[in-house]
Amino acid sequence: VEATNPCLVLAGYISMKVLKHHGTRQPNLVRGSKPAAVRPVTVCSACSRPTQPALLRQNGTMPVVRRSGVSSTSSASASSAFGQPLAPTNPLRPRSFSGPHIHGAVARRGNKIVISAVLAGVEGATDVRTMLGSEMKGEPNLVTGQLENGFRYVILPNKLPPKRFEAHLEVHVGSVDELPNEQGIAHLVEHVTFLGSKRRENLLGTGARANAYTDFHHTVFHVHAPVTNGVTGSPMLPQVLEALEEIAFRPEFLATRIEKERKAVMAEAQMMNTIEYRVDCQLLQYLHYENNLGCRFPIGKMDQVKAWPHDAVKAYWSRWYFPANATLYVVGDLDRDIEATRALIRSVFGRLQPATMSAEEAAACSAASKAAADGHQPPHTLPAPASMVAALSKGNGNGTAAAVAPEVAPDPAAAAAALLLKARHPIRPPVRHHWGMGPLAPAERPAPVSTFQHPLLQNFMLSVFCKVPITPMTTMAHLRQLLMIRTILSVFQFRVTKRYVAADPPFIGIELDISDSGREGATVSTLSVTSEPNDWQGAVRVAVEEVRRLQRYGLTKGELERYSSAILRDSAQLAEQANKVPSLDTLNFVMESLACGHTVMGHREAHEAMCAVAATVTLEEINSLARSLLTFASDYGSEGEALAEAAAAPPGAYVAPGPTRATSIVACLPAWVDANGASISVSSGGADASARGAAGHMGAGGHIDPDTVDLDQLAAQAAQVDAVEVPEGAFTYAVTADMIAGALADRAYEVEPPLDVDCPDFLMSEEEVSALVAERNPHYVPLAEPGTSGDAFPEPGPNGIVQRRLSNGMRLNYRVTDNEPRAALLRMIAPGGSCMDKLGAAPDGYGAVTVGMRTLSEAGAVGKWDREQVMVYCVSNLINCAMEADEENLCVDFHFAVGDGSMERTFQLAHLLLEQPRWEEAAADRAKTAFASASRSVSKSLDRATADRIMSVMMGGPEVRRFREPSPEEIDALTLEGMRNTVMGLLHAGALEINVVGDFDAQELERLVATYLGTVAPRPPTAVTPIIEYPVVWQDPTLERRHSSWHLHDSDERAAAYVAGPAPPRWGPFGSGDPIGPYPHGEVVPPPVVVPGAANSAEARQAATDARRRHPLFSSAILMLLTEVINSRLFTTVRDSLGLTYDVSFQFTMFDRVRLGWFSVLVTSHPDKIYDALDASVAVLRDMAVSPVNRRELARARTTLITRHESDMKDNAYWLGLLTHLQNEHVPWKVPECLRDLRAMYEAITVDDLYHAYSFLQLSDQQLFTCVGTSGKSAPPPPEGRVLGGVLADDEGEGVMLGQGGEGAQGQGGQLPNPMALFTAMLAAAQAMNPTVKAAVQQGQSSAGQQQQAGSSGSGSGPAQK
């Protein structure tokens, strides 16, 4: 019920008797501008006296009940609570009267009064205890089942993306199930079964994508597929299920496939052995020191991977891959109903027999597990039912039929005793944990601090862990505890951010997390602290103080109301988006929820339940929970005293699980620091060591080589550090475990109760807004130049895009979508970026734009409102804001809720950010510190440093830094005034383009844009920075600098290589880097499609080609398709066929305004193979000249891009990118028709177009740039006689270029060499100078054209990338 009279406010809670015969109801009414907390009252016909409400919170608490509910994390990503269901601290008193009565809650929202009421005292009504004890309502559309053979399945219809589905087969076996001599075998089996499947290969080209991964507790094979086969038109679900069934239960263990995947696993381990993953491994190692989760990493041990015979690999599969140990998840927009899907699953997987094991086999497995003495659990077995013995005896132990049946039928009784039924472990993962709860064991001491020190670490990083059992979230009480935990975490993070605002904060980051982990089988609480090395004590102090403050004093009343209300509002938003969550995200949530034992709830059901439990949360209860959960960090070293205090405390002061305690503490530390205790760069060899800054997004991710994190090797870590060259001016970082433990346990950290922050309802008053509108008269003008004729409100264009222009010069593009109900995205973007920076170190020198935008973000204050108030304002209204600058633009993005005034509040913040931003010295210091730290870290990252070196050679080194990060010297020279003038000179009304996408009312949006952005005053010309296109000249260095290498001193060996070169720009005539004006070809028409094989005249074909290549989208679309084709060939050849790498990727870096681009290839490998991998990658690039792209390759690339585009169309962030620059005068070829024609352009492009684009790539030795980076204790020497591209040195020392013939060979009509033969010969010769191979190479090269390099056959796309 809503009361629109703004003067009438019902405050507090009203409980009144409902009379049988229309009796008088007398609610307690209070007038005022804000809800006031008053004692709840009951009004009845017999008496009127204060009582406690039945369904609402305790006396003295006053929630803000919002009309649309909650916030922050969806049920899809939330963690459950631990411990027992919480009971109210003070039991609610029974009513002194019986009969029907109403309990209500009232609050004001803007000019509306919102009244929530519930009927009680009648049949069916529940009190708070009954409600909290009730079961949560699960997702109504979720269907689970189990076949007779034990195979489980989960089905959930989901409409996004439309006409596509996910099918994931989870086999419940992972690295924790390996014996000590099997470390890595689960991962190898995954490789062999997945990539060896013929039916999986048949999915290629259908529009499906397949992949697989192995984790601690499971192995998952997954397929993302269209409902209909794009080639045959037949349903895809049967084909996908047949493929998954073959992968898991009918693989071919060919010797060739096992050897190929053995190499792939070893390459994967080498690729992912980065310092970041070694840190992760250290954390897991100490977190789970008591079980196999700390020592059985999925990648395995490479000495074992090399050694297993084929029979051992197959035996592991036979032991664990059986129907009862697998679960199928099918989620998506299915083409059949649930029963038909069930029937299909039964027909495919029901034919598998139940898996069995003889008593002797079971005994042998148990003996092997006991011998391991590490907690390993053998396969779980159950007695076989006597009625099934005859059938089960025909199984061979992995769910498939045996080849030969017994000749003599066994005695039924004897068979029943000798045969066991294999089943899934009842607990996954099957490990035992040491819990951080309950009474202390005799002589139990506080968890020790373990340290990991390494030269490549830059910051002090501390993690304090506490493990407790997962409490399956099944009742409403569990959900209420989840709500309280989320509120506690939100309050802690806000308080830490308040401390960060200090002028010189002693920490980089402090985070508190409490989350369930299905892969670990535990709920893990983590306090993480990151700081500069010399600030570690201050950082630990801040972290401990804030945890203690929250543990000792709890939340304030305002914090509880503000954050619980925000969570409820976010929940309401998510409930509206129930049908808008992608199937992949939904499936992952379902899988994780079931692994933790949680009830799977839909968004709507979760929101309804969350609203029901939110009204029962009291300040006393949530503070009791905080007091219990945070003891692990607040009272480290005093665990006994904490338990004694809890025992003596009054009932309700602590709740389950009671006082917690740390179970492990890990500190990751740098090896060296400078004289001031700050981080220091490590020394390196090779290319210019002064180059700083990374060239963008060049990185990798994956598994870890556990050889670097073996428990037995920890003691040798210091020796490894000593073996690495000490940087000049470095001092040993001498922080010990005892020092850290002492800081954590220091009782001298005194804390005071927290003070609440006043939260503004609006940032601008109605009077301020009215005066501003009257003064500046904002209005819309025609899209053409001001003063010319035209319509200020043209009709929507293609795809429903609406364009407007404001009188102050701002341009507006928007599109209404229902992709994310009740939410929207806003982007304010202006030309600028680091390309506009002045070069060199100066107050407004290089870095002024990027560091200046970070300064504005760090300040977070506008007008009269400080950072804390703005933060609370954003939290309360579900507003997220991000500010950044890249090479081309300054960008401010908002994600906000729609409804309840949040959209207007967002535009008020946007207005003040443009008109009254606060520039603060403390914020500038924080921004400069963050950038300087990032710059120093470049030299410690193999991938980033290698990318930086190739960029410095390609773009001119220190003289031209526009595509690289500022150096520490440049950062230090910047001043607040210099950055402010630079940023505000670019971020002005005349330069801004506004883009909005979301679920909003169009008229309301236009009103708010005009009111708040149209009133931003234009800047005078003298205060505006003109957009200047600085020329960037490609360098022409010597061959030695063009093809360089360098070495990073490290304790472990890795290698990465980059290949790069110039590429055409994204917009304008293809291949031209000249400045462009408006589109010169008139109206943009859809590109014509030429049907292959049709009777088209040469003139018609040429006309169609010219039309395609004139289209504004041609450059962007052709480069995307070329990327897909090259990546497929790289994967097929370098990774799959030759086994030189686990990961190789090609990409184009394209800009919108800057008139250039480049391509790059990143390949990772072992230092011994990195040059072979580099040469193979270059050969694949050159091979396209002699191994033509066929139509099937193009069709696969086209299908991939179109599928991705159609899926992304359901994402508001994708649409925001499409709208950006539609009215940017510096990107004149991007027009709304480009969005209309994207699919048509992909479909129209031909193989000839691909080669037209390919011809612009400069791939000779004299044009390419390469850089090889290696890490280890010493730099490996490059191969003798090697020249890029497969040049071998013959016996006389003269170079022989593979695949190149004499001058004019192609023009003379000579036959092209066999590319695969030459490519294979090149690789073989590169590893061993074989005279026979060299002769073959010399014979083949005589007929090759000047630019036709040896390479793979490239006859089609390779397997789906793993």
Side-chain angles (χ1 to χ4, degrees):
V1 181
E2 295 182 2
T4 56
N5 183 351
C7 298
L8 178 63
V9 178
L10 292 175
Y13 301 108
I14 307 160
S15 182
M16 51 192 162
K17 185 74 178 276
V18 180
L19 303 180
K20 292 183 178 179
H21 301 289
H22 303 287
T24 304
R25 286 178 281 181
Q26 304 174 16
N28 179 46
L29 302 181
V30 180
R31 295 179 182 272
S33 59
K34 291 185 178 180
V38 298
R39 187 178 181 85
V41 297
T42 296
V43 181
C44 61
S45 57
C47 63
S48 178
R49 61 186 180 85
T51 65
Q52 290 278 16
L55 282 178
L56 303 170
R57 62 184 75 199
Q58 300 284 336
N59 180 34
T61 63
M62 176 61 197
V64 179
V65 180
R66 307 235 184 230
R67 178 169 161 243
S68 62
V70 294
S71 161
S72 188
T73 328
S74 74
S75 58
S77 60
S79 330
S80 83
F82 14 66
Q84 300 302 315
L86 292 176
T89 309
N90 299 312
L92 298 176
R93 292 185 294 173
R95 292 292 167 189
S96 59
F97 59 89
S98 61
H101 48 280
I102 294 175
H103 304 289
V106 186
R108 177 181 180 177
R109 184 64 179 170
N111 63 345
K112 297 179 179 179
I113 302 302
V114 182
I115 304 173
S116 302
V118 64
L119 179 64
V122 297
E123 184 179 358
T126 59
D127 61 18
V128 65
R129 290 181 182 277
T130 305
M131 186 268 290
L132 292 177
S134 63
E135 297 290 323
M136 292 162 44
K137 294 181 180 179
E139 164 62 58
N141 297 317
L142 183 73
V143 175
T144 61
Q146 184 171 342
L147 304 181
E148 292 183 359
N149 58 12
F151 185 84
R152 297 172 176 86
Y153 59 85
V154 178
I155 306 170
L156 180 59
N158 193 68
K159 294 296 183 182
L160 189 70
K163 298 182 179 180
R164 298 191 70 84
F165 67 91
E166 297 283 340
H168 294 209
L169 182 60
E170 179 186 28
V171 183
H172 302 284
V173 59
S175 56
V176 294
D177 300 293
E178 299 166 344
L179 289 166
N181 62 343
E182 295 178 328
Q183 296 186 52
I185 200 168
H187 183 216
L188 179 59
V189 168
E190 171 236 305
H191 273 250
V192 173
T193 56
F194 180 78
L195 288 170
S197 168
K198 299 297 183 183
R199 288 181 174 175
R200 183 209 47 89
E201 290 183 0
N202 292 337
L203 297 177
L204 300 174
T206 64
R209 300 194 303 270
N211 212 325
Y213 62 89
T214 302
D215 209 331
F216 290 102
H217 65 307
H218 66 186
T219 301
V220 179
F221 306 95
H222 53 96
V223 181
H224 173 82
V227 170
T228 305
N229 189 309
V231 178
T232 65
S234 58
M236 278 294 296
L237 184 58
Q239 184 178 356
V240 168
L241 297 189
E242 291 284 357
L244 291 173
E245 189 266 351
E246 180 185 80
I247 289 169
F249 302 115
R250 303 179 190 276
E252 289 185 320
F253 282 88
L254 300 178
T256 53
R257 174 55 63 181
I258 292 176
E259 293 309 312
K260 183 178 295 186
E261 296 313 315
R262 201 191 302 268
K263 291 193 297 183
V265 168
M266 295 172 65
E268 178 182 354
Q270 196 65 44
M271 177 190 73
M272 298 325 305
N273 191 21
T274 65
I275 186 61
E276 293 80 10
Y277 284 94
R278 277 178 261 173
V279 167
D280 288 343
C281 224
Q282 293 290 327
L283 297 179
L284 286 170
Q285 199 162 223
Y286 289 113
L287 173 61
H288 302 297
Y289 66 91
E290 75 276 30
N291 59 53
N292 280 344
L293 289 169
C295 59
R296 293 286 195 275
F297 294 99
I299 195 66
K301 290 191 173 183
M302 294 306 104
D303 57 340
Q304 295 188 23
V305 172
K306 294 176 184 177
W308 293 313
H310 298 174
D311 290 345
V313 178
K314 187 173 182 180
Y316 186 87
W317 165 81
S318 180
R319 193 191 319 155
W320 293 106
Y321 278 63
F322 54 90
N325 204 34
T327 303
L328 174 70
Y329 299 82
V330 179
V331 178
D333 189 13
L334 305 178
D335 61 348
R336 61 199 69 204
D337 60 26
I338 295 296
E339 287 307 315
T341 305
R342 283 180 186 261
L344 178 61
I345 293 172
R346 282 195 297 269
S347 69
V348 175
F349 295 95
R351 62 195 179 207
L352 300 169
Q353 291 190 16
T356 61
M357 177 180 284
S358 69
E360 291 78 7
E361 289 176 312
C365 288
S366 296
S369 296
K370 290 180 181 178
D374 60 358
H376 179 270
Q377 296 295 313
H380 187 62
T381 58
L382 301 171
S387 60
M388 300 176 62
V389 169
L392 293 178
S393 63
K394 297 179 182 179
N396 66 5
N398 68 348
T400 57
V404 180
E407 295 182 3
V408 180
D411 176 70
L419 198 62
L420 298 173
L421 196 65
K422 293 171 69 173
R424 176 180 139 184
H425 280 131
I427 298 175
R428 296 293 306 168
V431 296
R432 295 180 183 272
H433 292 281
H434 173 69
W435 303 122
M437 55 181 284
L440 290 169
E444 181 177 351
R445 299 182 58 80
V449 175
S450 304
T451 60
F452 169 63
Q453 202 161 8
H454 199 279
L456 296 186
L457 291 177
Q458 174 167 312
N459 297 319
F460 171 90
M461 295 180 290
L462 178 67
S463 298
V464 183
F465 296 111
C466 171
K467 292 193 294 185
V468 299
I470 294 176
T471 297
M473 192 166 64
T474 58
T475 69
M476 298 290 280
H478 296 146
L479 186 64
R480 184 174 77 150
Q481 190 159 341
L482 166 65
L483 173 63
M484 291 192 288
I485 289 176
R486 289 168 57 188
T487 305
I488 290 168
L489 297 179
S490 299
V491 169
F492 177 83
Q493 215 56 53
F494 173 76
R495 292 184 182 179
V496 167
T497 304
K498 288 171 59 178
R499 296 288 295 267
Y500 181 74
V501 177
D504 187 17
F507 60 93
I508 296 172
I510 297 174
E511 295 182 357
L512 179 65
D513 178 65
I514 302 174
S515 58
D516 296 342
S517 173
R519 72 197 292 251
E520 297 163 279
T523 296
V524 183
S525 300
T526 309
L527 176 66
S528 303
V529 182
T530 306
S531 73
E532 290 288 338
N534 54 345
D535 289 334
W536 75 270
Q537 289 173 303
V540 171
R541 176 167 188 151
V542 170
V544 173
E545 285 178 346
E546 290 310 320
V547 173
R548 284 184 184 169
R549 196 187 317 277
L550 192 53
Q551 195 270 346
R552 304 285 197 268
Y553 300 106
L555 286 69
T556 67
K557 177 183 173 182
E559 287 173 331
L560 173 59
E561 294 178 355
R562 183 161 55 247
Y563 283 94
S564 60
S565 176
I567 291 172
L568 288 174
R569 291 191 64 200
D570 189 50
S571 175
Q573 241 183 295
L574 291 167
E576 294 291 337
Q577 300 166 18
N579 295 321
K580 302 296 181 181
V581 180
S583 295
L584 178 59
D585 296 338
T586 300
L587 188 150
N588 288 334
F589 165 59
V590 172
M591 184 183 292
E592 180 67 12
S593 296
L594 295 179
C596 295
H598 300 332
T599 297
V600 178
M601 301 186 74
H603 287 301
R604 291 193 176 94
E605 292 75 22
H607 174 59
E608 292 173 2
M610 192 77 79
C611 290
V613 300
T616 71
V617 175
T618 69
L619 189 63
E620 292 81 3
E621 287 177 313
I622 196 169
N623 287 343
S624 295
L625 183 61
R627 192 174 297 117
S628 302
L629 298 183
L630 303 183
T631 318
F632 81 99
S634 65
D635 290 85
Y636 172 73
S638 303
E639 289 79 4
E641 292 89 332
L643 286 171
E645 179 183 329
Y654 286 82
V655 296
T660 57
R661 56 182 175 273
T663 53
S664 56
I665 302 172
V666 188
C668 298
L669 312 173
W672 301 296
V673 292
D674 63 17
N676 297 318
S679 60
I680 191 169
S681 299
V682 299
S683 61
S684 60
D688 176 20
S690 66
R692 307 179 192 276
H697 46 283
M698 296 184 176
H703 293 302
I704 315 160
D705 186 343
D707 290 331
T708 66
V709 291
D710 193 297
L711 281 170
D712 297 336
Q713 295 182 0
L714 292 178
Q717 194 62 244
Q720 291 179 338
V721 170
D722 293 339
V724 179
E725 180 181 344
V726 179
E728 183 179 353
F731 296 82
T732 300
Y733 188 55
V735 174
T736 66
D738 289 341
M739 295 168 63
I740 297 170
L744 285 170
D746 195 337
R747 312 307 294 174
Y749 301 155
E750 298 292 338
V751 292
E752 299 293 332
L755 298 176
D756 213 343
V757 177
D758 180 34
C759 176
D761 194 21
F762 287 93
L763 298 180
M764 302 174 67
S765 67
E766 293 183 6
E767 293 77 13
E768 290 177 302
V769 175
S770 298
L772 200 60
V773 170
E775 174 190 350
R776 297 181 180 174
N777 186 30
H779 58 280
Y780 291 97
V781 299
L783 295 183
E785 289 300 318
T788 63
S789 60
D791 185 3
F793 298 94
E795 292 296 318
N799 298 101
I801 297 170
V802 179
Q803 295 186 296
R804 300 284 186 263
R805 182 164 183 157
L806 286 160
S807 52
N808 62 356
M810 286 190 192
R811 282 85 66 194
L812 170 66
N813 308 306
Y814 71 84
R815 185 177 188 269
V816 178
T817 76
D818 61 353
N819 293 339
E820 190 179 351
R822 298 176 59 83
L825 292 173
L826 162 67
R827 169 171 294 167
M828 304 190 301
I829 189 167
S834 59
C835 285
M836 289 294 300
D837 269 335
K838 298 178 181 178
L839 294 179
D844 59 348
Y846 191 72
V849 174
T850 52
V851 183
M853 283 295 285
R854 176 67 180 263
T855 298
L856 199 56
S857 177
E858 288 285 345
V862 293
K864 62 183 180 181
W865 309 105
D866 61 27
R867 180 188 174 101
E868 292 180 20
Q869 291 174 307
V870 173
M871 286 175 56
V872 172
Y873 175 87
C874 290
V875 167
S876 300
N877 294 286
L878 300 187
I879 302 171
N880 289 319
C881 178
M883 291 177 273
E884 65 176 358
D886 58 16
E887 296 89 345
E888 297 185 285
N889 306 294
L890 289 77
C891 188
V892 182
D893 283 354
F894 295 90
H895 181 278
F896 57 92
V898 174
D900 295 328
S902 287
M903 186 159 72
E904 181 164 11
R905 290 176 172 86
T906 302
F907 279 98
Q908 286 190 353
L909 179 58
H911 173 90
L912 292 178
L913 188 62
L914 296 174
E915 283 267 289
Q916 302 177 42
R918 296 251 293 266
W919 290 83
E920 301 174 350
E921 287 287 355
D925 292 341
R926 294 195 298 272
K928 291 168 67 175
T929 298
F931 269 85
S933 178
S935 179
R936 288 193 297 269
S937 69
V938 169
S939 64
K940 298 184 180 183
S941 169
L942 180 68
D943 296 344
R944 293 177 61 197
T946 305
D948 185 70
R949 281 161 171 75
I950 198 171
M951 289 294 297
S952 68
V953 175
M954 201 162 59
M955 295 296 201
E959 297 79 18
V960 181
R961 304 184 49 82
R962 302 194 184 281
F963 301 100
R964 302 163 67 199
E965 298 293 335
S967 68
E969 295 75 19
E970 290 164 333
I971 294 169
D972 187 60
L974 297 171
T975 65
L976 180 68
E977 185 66 16
M979 291 187 290
R980 188 191 71 82
N981 291 338
T982 300
V983 170
M984 300 312 293
L986 296 168
L987 204 63
H988 61 91
L992 281 169
E993 180 188 62
I994 311 302
N995 301 283
V996 191
V997 180
D999 181 22
F1000 49 78
D1001 178 77
Q1003 292 184 346
E1004 176 72 0
L1005 173 74
E1006 292 191 11
R1007 181 187 70 82
L1008 293 175
V1009 169
T1011 300
Y1012 292 106
L1013 299 184
T1015 53
V1016 174
R1019 299 274 173 83
T1022 55
V1024 171
T1025 302
I1027 301 300
I1028 301 173
E1029 302 297 340
Y1030 293 103
V1032 178
V1033 180
W1034 294 99
Q1035 301 301 296
D1036 186 19
T1038 62
L1039 276 178
E1040 182 179 1
R1041 290 198 68 227
R1042 184 181 287 272
H1043 306 295
S1044 61
S1045 63
W1046 76 289
H1047 184 72
L1048 174 67
H1049 294 294
D1050 189 8
S1051 57
D1052 296 274
E1053 294 182 333
R1054 287 185 68 238
Y1058 282 101
V1059 182
R1066 173 180 294 179
W1067 300 105
F1070 191 79
S1072 171
D1074 297 333
I1076 58 173
Y1079 182 65
H1081 304 294
E1083 181 182 357
V1084 176
V1085 298
V1089 177
V1090 177
V1091 179
N1096 300 308
S1097 65
E1099 293 78 7
R1101 289 196 299 271
Q1102 186 60 47
T1105 298
D1106 294 341
R1108 279 195 312 276
R1109 297 181 184 178
R1110 284 197 305 264
H1111 196 284
L1113 269 181
F1114 177 76
S1115 296
S1116 180
I1118 194 67
L1119 294 177
M1120 293 292 289
L1121 283 166
L1122 190 57
T1123 299
E1124 291 295 321
V1125 171
I1126 293 176
N1127 268 318
S1128 178
R1129 290 191 170 198
L1130 284 169
F1131 180 84
T1132 301
T1133 304
V1134 186
R1135 191 271 189 201
D1136 198 43
S1137 298
L1138 301 170
L1140 293 172
T1141 181
Y1142 179 77
D1143 184 67
V1144 58
S1145 60
F1146 174 91
Q1147 69 173 12
F1148 285 105
T1149 297
M1150 297 180 284
F1151 300 97
D1152 287 303
R1153 195 184 79 249
V1154 178
R1155 301 295 299 144
L1156 58 78
W1158 60 82
F1159 69 86
S1160 61
V1161 177
L1162 167 62
V1163 59
T1164 57
S1165 189
H1166 188 274
D1168 293 341
K1169 295 183 178 180
I1170 190 61
Y1171 289 97
D1172 292 339
L1174 171 64
D1175 286 343
S1177 301
V1178 173
V1180 170
L1181 294 180
R1182 294 171 173 172
D1183 177 56
M1184 285 188 62
V1186 294
S1187 181
V1189 175
N1190 56 45
R1191 292 175 182 172
R1192 187 179 182 190
E1193 280 185 279
L1194 177 58
R1196 286 177 176 173
R1198 179 184 294 132
T1199 299
T1200 298
L1201 292 177
I1202 291 176
T1203 300
R1204 188 183 304 157
H1205 170 66
E1206 291 180 343
S1207 177
D1208 289 343
M1209 294 274 278
K1210 298 296 182 180
D1211 182 11
N1212 280 349
Y1214 181 70
W1215 269 106
L1216 196 66
L1218 293 178
L1219 294 185
T1220 301
H1221 297 318
L1222 285 181
Q1223 294 193 64
N1224 186 341
E1225 61 184 355
H1226 301 284
V1227 192
W1229 281 38
K1230 186 171 182 180
V1231 292
E1233 288 76 15
C1234 291
L1235 281 58
R1236 176 199 67 194
D1237 296 343
L1238 186 54
R1239 180 188 177 112
M1241 179 56 71
Y1242 284 143
E1243 292 175 336
I1245 285 175
T1246 66
V1247 171
D1248 287 341
D1249 292 328
L1250 280 180
Y1251 274 97
H1252 176 67
Y1254 174 77
S1255 67
F1256 284 85
L1257 302 186
Q1258 302 171 13
L1259 301 176
S1260 72
D1261 286 3
Q1262 290 73 31
Q1263 295 168 317
L1264 280 176
F1265 297 84
T1266 67
C1267 184
V1268 174
T1270 57
S1271 68
K1273 295 182 180 180
S1274 60
E1280 294 183 6
R1282 174 193 173 274
V1283 179
L1284 180 70
V1287 175
L1288 309 177
D1290 61 17
D1291 294 335
E1292 288 74 31
E1294 296 179 357
V1296 178
M1297 176 66 73
L1298 293 180
Q1300 288 191 354
E1303 183 178 354
Q1306 184 177 9
Q1308 296 170 1
Q1311 184 178 0
L1312 294 176
N1314 183 315
M1316 180 53 77
L1318 286 176
F1319 186 66
T1320 305
M1322 178 197 74
L1323 289 173
Q1327 298 178 36
M1329 299 301 294
N1330 188 315
T1332 303
V1333 172
K1334 288 171 57 180
V1337 170
Q1338 292 171 350
Q1339 180 180 0
Q1341 59 88 29
S1342 63
S1343 60
Q1346 187 68 24
Q1347 293 296 325
Q1348 293 161 344
Q1349 295 299 116
S1352 70
S1353 61
S1355 59
S1357 297
Q1361 186 165 352
K1362 280 178 57 356

